[in-house]
Amino acid sequence: MLLDIVLIVVGVALVLWGADRMTDGSVAIAQRMRIPQIVIGLTIVAMGTSMPEFFVSLTSALKGTSDIAVGNVVGSNVFNTLLIVGVAAMVAPMTILKSTVERDMPWSVLAMVLLAAFAINGHVSRIESAVLFVLFVGFVTYTVVSARKNKPAEPADDEVKNYSPLMAAGLVVLGLACLIVGSNLFVDAATRVAQTLGVSEAVIGLTIVAGGTSLPELATSVVAARKGQSAIAIGNVIGSNIFNVLMIIGITGLICPMQINGITLVDLSVFIASIFLLWAFSYTKYKVERWEGAVLTAGFLAYMAWLIVNAI
């Protein structure tokens, strides 16, 4: 049991470190190919922050533990929407761009409602996954086209890391290796912990796995909020939610259709309610106030308490 907990921590560390290395290498390669910075930021970097969730979910599905795969995504989005935004808003009220509320949040709502509708019957098929993946391609295309119409100034050369082609390729390979090894360690150890404690794989996915893979978003958003860069914090959360559902479940389900047994109606209800609550708060003066952040955080804590009580 103790060894498995250590392996979970090591697995999380490898996955997070590997995601950073792979993102750095990919960005360096994209820069050498003269891909615009705005496109790099909206695609490679955004996908990079979702790599921990992706590899953990894909590995879980391939190993036959689909509840961890879907629970990871459902739990990560609840973690993002309720805890991360809630804590960040309590640190400093979060001003939200009108474009985020009117353009990006509807995509997040659509993605999460679709996943709940697909998962409620106990499985996610290849056709359903294909629908999610097509929407993912549409979202990325729409976002990149919209961003290039309002293209900001490119950063100076000294603001980006300059790696040689060999170093950049090495970082991608090293990062990918760490993601694969870390994901396998993490999923295997988490599954054994669930079996030892008599807790369902879904609960492990909704709590330990989701919390571990959401650490980058938590750190990024809280730091951004403290610095007064709330647009970055909320954009990070909304973008992560969209990528989690459309990219991760889309690709994972295409490779391996998923049978879901432990994700309950309560889990899916909290999943949907969280994004609608954030959307409602965002429309009030395009800001999430401290008290609203407290409501979101309280909602997260209540959900975690419900999971723990029902798991015992």
Side-chain angles (χ1 to χ4, degrees):
M1 177 74 169
L2 181 60
L3 176 60
D4 284 331
I5 293 174
V6 171
L7 289 175
I8 286 175
V9 174
V10 171
V12 170
L14 277 174
V15 165
L16 299 183
W17 190 83
D20 279 343
R21 299 295 78 73
M22 193 173 80
T23 301
D24 286 345
S26 299
V27 168
I29 291 171
Q31 288 168 347
R32 286 189 171 275
M33 294 173 65
R34 300 189 181 281
I35 296 175
Q37 290 293 324
I38 184 63
V39 176
I40 293 172
L42 292 168
T43 54
I44 297 172
V45 175
M47 289 181 195
T49 61
S50 291
M51 281 297 104
E53 287 91 341
F54 174 65
F55 271 84
V56 168
S57 288
L58 179 59
T59 302
S60 299
L62 292 175
K63 287 179 177 287
T65 53
S66 297
D67 279 348
I68 289 181
V70 179
N72 177 33
V73 169
V74 171
S76 289
N77 279 26
V78 171
F79 194 98
N80 287 347
T81 306
L82 296 182
L83 183 66
I84 293 178
V85 175
V87 170
M90 287 193 294
V91 170
M94 302 176 71
T95 300
I96 305 172
L97 295 176
K98 186 177 180 181
S99 61
T100 298
V101 176
E102 296 181 352
R103 184 189 67 193
D104 299 330
M105 279 196 182
W107 278 95
S108 184
V109 171
L110 173 63
M112 292 169 72
V113 168
L114 274 178
L115 177 56
F118 292 160
I120 201 168
N121 63 359
H123 70 272
V124 178
S125 68
R126 277 200 173 93
I127 293 176
E128 292 166 338
S129 299
V131 170
L132 295 176
F133 185 69
V134 168
L135 283 174
F136 168 68
V137 173
F139 169 72
V140 171
T141 303
Y142 171 73
T143 302
V144 170
V145 169
S146 298
R148 294 193 70 172
K149 286 181 181 178
N150 303 292
K151 184 180 174 183
E154 296 287 308
D157 289 339
D158 60 355
E159 292 181 19
V160 297
K161 296 178 180 178
N162 292 315
Y163 295 113
S164 68
L166 184 60
M167 176 65 78
L171 285 173
V172 172
V173 172
L174 177 61
L176 185 59
C178 288
L179 281 164
I180 293 171
V181 173
S183 296
N184 276 283
L185 285 176
F186 192 82
V187 171
D188 288 345
T191 302
R192 287 193 296 270
V193 168
Q195 293 169 346
T196 301
L197 296 176
V199 176
S200 72
E201 292 169 353
V203 171
I204 293 294
L206 289 163
T207 53
I208 297 173
V209 179
T213 57
S214 292
L215 288 177
E217 287 87 352
L218 177 61
T220 301
S221 296
V222 171
V223 170
R226 287 189 64 184
K227 292 182 177 179
Q229 299 170 329
S230 54
I232 293 176
I234 197 74
N236 178 52
V237 165
I238 298 302
S240 177
N241 283 356
I242 295 169
F243 274 64
N244 284 351
V245 174
L246 300 185
M247 183 184 80
I248 294 173
I249 297 297
I251 295 176
T252 301
L254 281 171
I255 295 172
C256 179
M258 292 173 284
Q259 194 70 31
I260 309 163
N261 300 311
I263 305 297
T264 68
L265 184 59
V266 172
D267 299 320
L268 294 176
S269 297
V270 172
F271 178 64
I272 296 301
S274 65
I275 190 61
F276 275 107
L277 187 59
L278 176 58
W279 201 15
F281 285 163
S282 300
Y283 263 115
T284 57
K285 301 179 182 178
Y286 297 108
K287 180 180 286 189
V288 179
E289 302 286 358
R290 279 194 171 92
W291 72 267
E292 293 170 328
V295 170
L296 293 173
T297 304
F300 175 81
L301 295 176
Y303 175 55
M304 287 297 107
W306 182 87
L307 283 176
I308 292 169
V309 168
N310 282 274
I312 298 174

XYZ file of all heavy atoms in Angstrom, residues 144-182:
279
model
N -7.958 29.253 -33.752
C -6.752 29.740 -34.436
C -7.105 30.805 -35.466
O -6.440 31.844 -35.550
C -6.008 28.561 -35.096
C -4.903 29.081 -36.020
C -5.408 27.646 -34.035
N -8.161 30.569 -36.252
C -8.573 31.545 -37.272
C -8.983 32.858 -36.613
O -8.590 33.947 -37.056
C -9.734 30.984 -38.128
C -10.334 32.079 -39.003
C -9.244 29.835 -38.993
N -9.762 32.758 -35.520
C -10.198 33.970 -34.808
C -9.012 34.725 -34.228
O -8.948 35.955 -34.284
C -11.160 33.596 -33.671
O -12.316 32.986 -34.178
N -8.049 33.979 -33.664
C -6.878 34.607 -33.044
C -5.995 35.292 -34.084
O -5.466 36.375 -33.845
C -6.076 33.571 -32.278
N -5.852 34.687 -35.253
C -4.973 35.265 -36.276
C -5.575 36.532 -36.880
O -4.866 37.386 -37.386
C -4.683 34.241 -37.365
C -3.877 33.058 -36.856
C -3.316 32.211 -37.958
N -2.248 32.896 -38.673
C -1.480 32.311 -39.588
N -1.671 31.045 -39.899
N -0.535 32.984 -40.207
N -6.913 36.661 -36.790
C -7.553 37.900 -37.257
C -7.210 39.058 -36.328
O -7.197 40.216 -36.743
C -9.077 37.721 -37.303
C -9.547 36.860 -38.463
C -11.067 36.744 -38.457
C -11.547 35.866 -39.610
N -13.023 35.701 -39.591
N -6.988 38.721 -35.028
C -6.609 39.737 -34.038
C -5.235 39.405 -33.498
O -5.014 39.335 -32.290
C -7.621 39.757 -32.890
C -9.026 40.007 -33.380
O -9.343 41.083 -33.847
N -9.863 38.989 -33.305
N -4.299 39.179 -34.395
C -2.980 38.675 -34.038
C -2.195 39.683 -33.219
O -1.975 40.813 -33.661
C -2.204 38.339 -35.322
C -0.842 37.726 -35.082
C -0.182 37.439 -36.426
C 1.233 36.959 -36.243
N 1.906 36.739 -37.538
N -1.740 39.300 -31.993
C -0.919 40.192 -31.186
C 0.501 40.221 -31.713
O 0.896 39.417 -32.548
C -0.961 39.545 -29.794
C -1.151 38.102 -30.086
C -2.002 38.030 -31.320
N 1.282 41.151 -31.187
C 2.680 41.237 -31.604
C 3.412 39.972 -31.200
O 3.179 39.408 -30.146
C 3.339 42.450 -30.959
N 4.335 39.525 -32.079
C 5.143 38.350 -31.778
C 6.134 38.688 -30.671
O 6.644 39.806 -30.607
C 5.923 37.913 -33.033
C 5.028 37.457 -34.167
C 4.416 36.092 -33.889
O 5.160 35.161 -33.565
O 3.199 35.971 -33.990
N 6.419 37.763 -29.769
C 7.380 38.046 -28.725
C 8.775 38.179 -29.293
O 9.090 37.637 -30.344
C 7.286 36.809 -27.806
C 6.814 35.721 -28.698
C 5.911 36.384 -29.691
N 9.603 38.924 -28.570
C 10.985 39.070 -29.005
C 11.687 37.732 -28.930
O 11.301 36.840 -28.182
C 11.707 40.079 -28.105
N 12.791 37.585 -29.736
C 13.500 36.312 -29.794
C 14.021 35.866 -28.437
O 14.119 34.689 -28.162
C 14.680 36.403 -30.780
C 14.176 36.485 -32.223
O 13.026 36.090 -32.467
O 14.944 36.942 -33.066
N 14.365 36.849 -27.574
C 14.942 36.458 -26.293
C 13.883 36.017 -25.293
O 14.189 35.640 -24.182
C 15.771 37.610 -25.698
C 14.940 38.869 -25.467
O 13.746 38.874 -25.849
O 15.491 39.833 -24.902
N 12.593 36.094 -25.703
C 11.531 35.662 -24.808
C 11.223 34.175 -24.958
O 10.443 33.616 -24.211
C 10.249 36.470 -25.071
C 10.385 37.946 -24.675
C 9.084 38.681 -24.933
O 8.033 38.023 -25.063
O 9.111 39.911 -25.026
N 11.806 33.550 -25.973
C 11.543 32.144 -26.207
C 12.828 31.353 -26.069
O 13.923 31.879 -26.226
C 10.927 31.917 -27.612
C 9.585 32.596 -27.726
C 11.866 32.426 -28.697
N 12.681 30.066 -25.749
C 13.853 29.225 -25.602
C 14.325 28.757 -26.974
O 13.532 28.257 -27.769
C 13.516 28.024 -24.722
C 13.147 28.402 -23.297
C 12.772 27.179 -22.490
C 12.408 27.559 -21.061
N 11.991 26.392 -20.264
N 15.611 28.917 -27.249
C 16.180 28.483 -28.507
C 16.931 27.172 -28.311
O 17.988 27.140 -27.685
C 17.132 29.558 -29.062
C 16.370 30.805 -29.482
O 15.339 30.709 -30.127
N 16.866 31.963 -29.096
N 16.368 26.091 -28.811
C 17.011 24.793 -28.748
C 17.468 24.395 -30.144
O 16.829 24.749 -31.140
C 16.044 23.719 -28.225
C 15.606 23.911 -26.798
C 14.280 24.208 -26.490
C 16.500 23.749 -25.744
C 13.862 24.362 -25.166
C 16.096 23.903 -24.424
C 14.777 24.201 -24.142
O 14.366 24.360 -22.840
N 18.551 23.642 -30.215
C 18.975 23.090 -31.493
C 17.940 22.060 -31.930
O 17.196 21.528 -31.088
C 20.347 22.434 -31.355
O 20.250 21.274 -30.534
N 17.868 21.743 -33.228
C 16.901 20.728 -33.681
C 17.058 19.401 -32.942
O 16.062 18.759 -32.585
C 17.230 20.581 -35.169
C 17.807 21.898 -35.559
C 18.591 22.348 -34.355
N 18.313 18.991 -32.693
C 18.554 17.731 -31.998
C 18.059 17.799 -30.559
O 17.422 16.850 -30.053
C 20.049 17.400 -32.020
C 20.448 16.038 -31.411
C 19.761 14.910 -32.169
C 21.969 15.869 -31.432
N 18.334 18.920 -29.883
C 17.881 19.090 -28.504
C 16.355 19.106 -28.430
O 15.756 18.481 -27.539
C 18.438 20.385 -27.928
C 17.947 20.708 -26.519
S 18.514 19.515 -25.281
C 20.200 20.070 -25.049
N 15.712 19.818 -29.360
C 14.249 19.896 -29.371
C 13.638 18.514 -29.577
O 12.699 18.120 -28.882
C 13.784 20.849 -30.474
N 14.180 17.758 -30.536
C 13.677 16.411 -30.787
C 13.914 15.516 -29.570
O 13.055 14.707 -29.198
C 14.362 15.814 -32.015
N 15.078 15.693 -28.932
C 15.380 14.915 -27.734
C 14.404 15.195 -26.610
O 13.998 14.273 -25.884
N 14.019 16.465 -26.443
C 13.055 16.829 -25.405
C 11.695 16.189 -25.669
O 11.016 15.728 -24.741
C 12.912 18.349 -25.332
C 14.065 19.109 -24.675
C 13.855 20.616 -24.833
C 14.179 18.754 -23.197
N 11.284 16.164 -26.938
C 10.003 15.545 -27.293
C 10.024 14.058 -26.959
O 9.095 13.530 -26.343
C 9.680 15.754 -28.794
C 8.448 14.930 -29.191
C 9.436 17.229 -29.081
N 11.093 13.379 -27.345
C 11.220 11.936 -27.088
C 11.288 11.660 -25.583
O 10.612 10.763 -25.064
C 12.470 11.360 -27.790
C 12.696 9.908 -27.367
C 12.320 11.459 -29.296
N 12.110 12.452 -24.865
C 12.236 12.277 -23.422
C 10.904 12.540 -22.726
O 10.490 11.782 -21.836
C 13.303 13.233 -22.877
C 13.517 13.230 -21.355
C 13.974 11.852 -20.884
C 14.538 14.299 -20.957
N 10.236 13.611 -23.119
C 8.945 13.937 -22.521
C 7.924 12.851 -22.762
O 7.168 12.459 -21.863
N 7.894 12.334 -23.997
C 6.955 11.275 -24.336
C 7.235 10.018 -23.519
O 6.312 9.364 -23.009
C 7.056 10.961 -25.836
C 6.060 9.941 -26.402
C 4.633 10.410 -26.176
C 6.328 9.713 -27.881
N 8.514 9.681 -23.363
C 8.890 8.502 -22.572
C 8.434 8.656 -21.122
O 7.893 7.714 -20.515
C 10.401 8.296 -22.634
N 8.646 9.842 -20.546
C 8.226 10.089 -19.163
C 6.706 10.016 -19.023
O 6.185 9.494 -18.018
C 8.729 11.455 -18.695
S 10.507 11.525 -18.405
N 5.984 10.525 -20.024
C 4.525 10.461 -19.998
C 4.040 9.012 -20.014
O 3.135 8.638 -19.267
C 3.946 11.214 -21.202
C 3.909 12.736 -21.078
C 3.692 13.380 -22.446
C 2.807 13.170 -20.122
N 4.660 8.196 -20.856
C 4.248 6.793 -20.972
C 4.570 6.023 -19.693
O 3.712 5.332 -19.126
C 4.921 6.135 -22.191
C 4.388 6.769 -23.484
C 4.672 4.625 -22.200
C 5.146 6.350 -24.733
N 5.809 6.160 -19.221
C 6.228 5.437 -18.006
C 5.435 5.932 -16.796
O 4.915 5.134 -15.997
C 7.736 5.607 -17.762
C 8.137 5.000 -16.417
C 8.536 4.943 -18.882
N 5.338 7.253 -16.644
C 4.620 7.822 -15.505
C 3.157 7.431 -15.493
O 2.589 7.112 -14.438
